[in-house]
Amino acid sequence: MRLHSLAGPNLMVGHVDIDDASSIHALREELAGFRFDVVFVNAGVLSDPALSFADQVMQVMRTNVAGAMLATEAFEPLVADGGVLAVMSSGLGSVSGNTTGGWEPYRSSKAALNQSLRSFAAARPAMPYALAAIAPGWVRTEMGGPDAALDVATSTSGMVRVLEGLFGKPGLVFVDYKGNELPW
């Protein structure tokens, strides 16, 4: 089902290019005056393996870190007290959990996102909302591929339950779609 078909009085569908600061700020201005229980920033791309390692890293860092954090900063004022501000992370972003290697540009970008989110939280010790880096699991999407362990419905319904469980619980967490705390 296309997202636009769900639009109605309780759902507005907007467009933002996460790699374009002016696009993020334009959406932020369009939403001025609104308050949300949940703001979820979902930004993630894989790199083009035909590029050099350095170019792959730059490609994913732009979207997965710079774009995600710019959106997080821009939309933070719209989060209701007791609400949740979340970013889509990945279990691959856990530095201490990396025991197999592989996926280096993507892993590096999600580790950098997690580190940036920790700094964001440290600068806001009295934030009145929960801040979450959430890992969806390995999901059968264009990025995850057909061999991924989870279907989209399982991952998303799990993430919804986890985010709902964070209402009224200020602080920073790194969790998966089941609510398990992940090592940073």
Side-chain angles (χ1 to χ4, degrees), residues 77-145:
L78 304 181
V79 179
D81 289 356
V84 180
L85 176 55
V87 299
M88 184 74 82
S89 186
S90 171
L92 295 175
S94 169
V95 173
S96 61
N98 182 358
T99 60
T100 61
W103 295 70
E104 285 83 3
Y106 183 78
R107 278 184 190 275
S108 297
S109 72
K110 290 302 185 173
L113 175 63
N114 292 348
Q115 183 66 273
S116 296
L117 202 64
R118 287 186 69 129
S119 293
F120 183 88
R124 294 156 178 80
M127 61 187 163
Y129 54 83
L131 184 59
I134 191 164
W138 185 27
V139 184
R140 286 187 297 275
T141 61
E142 184 177 327
M143 182 184 287

Side-chain angles (χ1 to χ4, degrees), residues 1-77:
M1 178 181 279
R2 297 193 52 83
L3 184 59
H4 290 281
S5 69
L6 299 174
N10 295 318
L11 177 66
M12 178 179 72
V13 178
H15 174 79
V16 66
D17 179 346
I18 202 77
D19 290 338
D20 180 0
S22 63
S23 178
I24 291 170
H25 292 299
L27 181 59
R28 167 62 177 85
E29 289 306 312
E30 185 179 333
L31 297 173
F34 286 92
R35 299 284 281 176
F36 299 96
D37 292 328
V38 177
V39 171
F40 195 136
V41 177
N42 182 5
V45 295
L46 292 176
S47 56
D48 180 349
L51 298 174
S52 70
F53 179 79
D55 287 342
Q56 289 182 55
V57 169
M58 296 305 291
Q59 184 181 49
V60 296
M61 289 292 187
R62 177 181 176 138
T63 299
N64 300 358
V65 184
M69 288 308 300
L70 181 59
T72 299
E73 291 170 358
F75 297 117
E76 176 198 19

Side-chain angles (χ1 to χ4, degrees), residues 152-167:
V152 171
T154 300
S155 175
T156 54
S157 63
M159 287 189 292
V160 167
R161 279 190 299 279
V162 169
L163 296 175
E164 286 176 335
L166 294 174
F167 288 146

